[in-house]
């Protein structure tokens, strides 16, 4: 069964500092990988996704993530954090569709980001 | 383009009562998902529809939860009777090609069971 681990429940950074949020996944084949962001009282918004190809993926709002197969990781990074980035971030793995698989998404427990001015 | 709509946004009920949530997906999206997000956890898929057929309901507590998607568009998720542990945010999402392609989420319904 697929699973996602986000080791950091809560991270605090200063505005303008760099950011890295960790994500490790377990999946039997090459996965689909996603990062979502959730602001208080809001639904989830897709930041970026990896399906195949270049392992460094660019997303919206200046975020990027790198897929490292050898480490089963898909860490999210941003070079300079803005106060508006404060939110909860979720990593997710999606199974590839086919046969009896319908492309289910499994989410990690999330990392809450606090940004100090 | 209008996003995924959900109602109500908030609901407070007593245990053993019933409750229903409504979702209107983005127009043209064939796949619709219902997730349960308990405080401090990531969303957990409850049920997935492809048009109006169920393709995955393996994590739906079928003794108390039910869902339908009429005519392959709107969907309703019902809980009857509710338990305290059902307190959560219920998120609806939709996607075009389904099957792990980009899912668009609604704002969710926050349910509190007292």
């Amino acid at each position: 069964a697929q699973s996602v681990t986000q080791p950091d429940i809560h991270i605090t950074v200063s505005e303008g500092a760099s950011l890295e949020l960790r994500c490790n996944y377990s999946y039997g084949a090459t996965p689909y990988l996603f990062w979502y962001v959730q602001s208080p009282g809001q639904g989830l918004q897709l930041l970026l996704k990896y399906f195949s190809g270049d392992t460094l993926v660019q997303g919206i709002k200046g975020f990027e993530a790198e897929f490292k197969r050898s480490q089963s990781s898909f860490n999210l990074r941003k070079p300079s954090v803005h106060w508006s980035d404060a939110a909860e971030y979720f990593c997710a793995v999606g199974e590839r569709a086919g046969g009896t698989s319908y492309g289910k998404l499994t989410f990690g427990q999330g990392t809450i980001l606090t940004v100090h001015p | 383009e209008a996003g995924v709509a959900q109602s109500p946004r908030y609901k407070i009920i007593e245990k053993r009562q019933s409750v229903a949530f409504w979702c209107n997906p983005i127009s043209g999206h064939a796949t619709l998902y219902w997730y349960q997000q308990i405080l401090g956890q990531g969303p957990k898929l409850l049920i997935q529809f492809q048009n109006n057929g169920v393709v995955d309901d393996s994590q739906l507590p079928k003794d108390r939860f039910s869902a339908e998607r009429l005519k392959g568009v709107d969907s309703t998720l019902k809980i009857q009777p509710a338990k305290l542990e059902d307190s959560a945010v219920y998120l609806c999402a939709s996607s075009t090609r389904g099957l792990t392609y980009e899912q668009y989420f609604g704002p969710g319904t926050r349910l509190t069971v007292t």
Side-chain angles (χ1 to χ4, degrees), chain A residues 32 34 36 38 41-44 46 49 51 90 94-95 97 102-105 107-109, chain B residues 9 35 37 40-43 45 48 55-56 58-59 91 99-103 105-107:
Chain A
Y32 293 154
F34 305 80
Y36 284 85
Q38 186 177 36
Q42 304 296 315
L44 281 75
L46 181 67
K49 59 192 176 189
F51 284 174
F90 292 93
E95 62 185 13
Y102 291 95
K104 176 182 173 180
L105 270 184
F107 287 84
Q109 70 179 55
Chain B
R9 291 295 310 276
Y35 290 88
Q37 186 178 18
Q41 299 181 19
L45 179 69
Q48 178 180 346
V55 297
D56 188 345
S58 56
Q59 299 191 89
L91 295 165
L99 308 183
T100 307
Y101 294 100
E102 181 171 349
Q103 296 182 24
F105 284 81

Side-chain angles (χ1 to χ4, degrees), chain B residues 67-100:
Chain B
E68 60 181 2
R69 189 177 185 195
L70 301 175
K71 300 180 181 179
V73 182
D74 292 6
S75 179
T76 302
L77 177 70
K78 297 180 181 177
I79 308 175
Q80 182 179 6
K83 293 184 175 182
L84 295 176
E85 59 261 36
D86 298 332
S87 295
V89 175
Y90 291 85
L91 295 165
C92 179
S94 68
S95 67
T96 50
R97 293 152 62 183
L99 308 183
T100 307

Side-chain angles (χ1 to χ4, degrees), chain A residues 19-56:
Chain A
L19 171 71
E20 183 170 28
L21 302 182
R22 296 182 291 165
C23 172
N24 293 98
Y25 69 89
S26 173
Y27 186 68
T30 302
Y32 293 154
L33 294 163
F34 305 80
W35 274 100
Y36 284 85
V37 61
Q38 186 177 36
S39 298
Q42 304 296 315
L44 281 75
Q45 181 184 20
L46 181 67
L47 286 176
L48 48 78
K49 59 192 176 189
Y50 171 78
F51 284 174
S52 65
D54 194 345
T55 56
L56 185 61

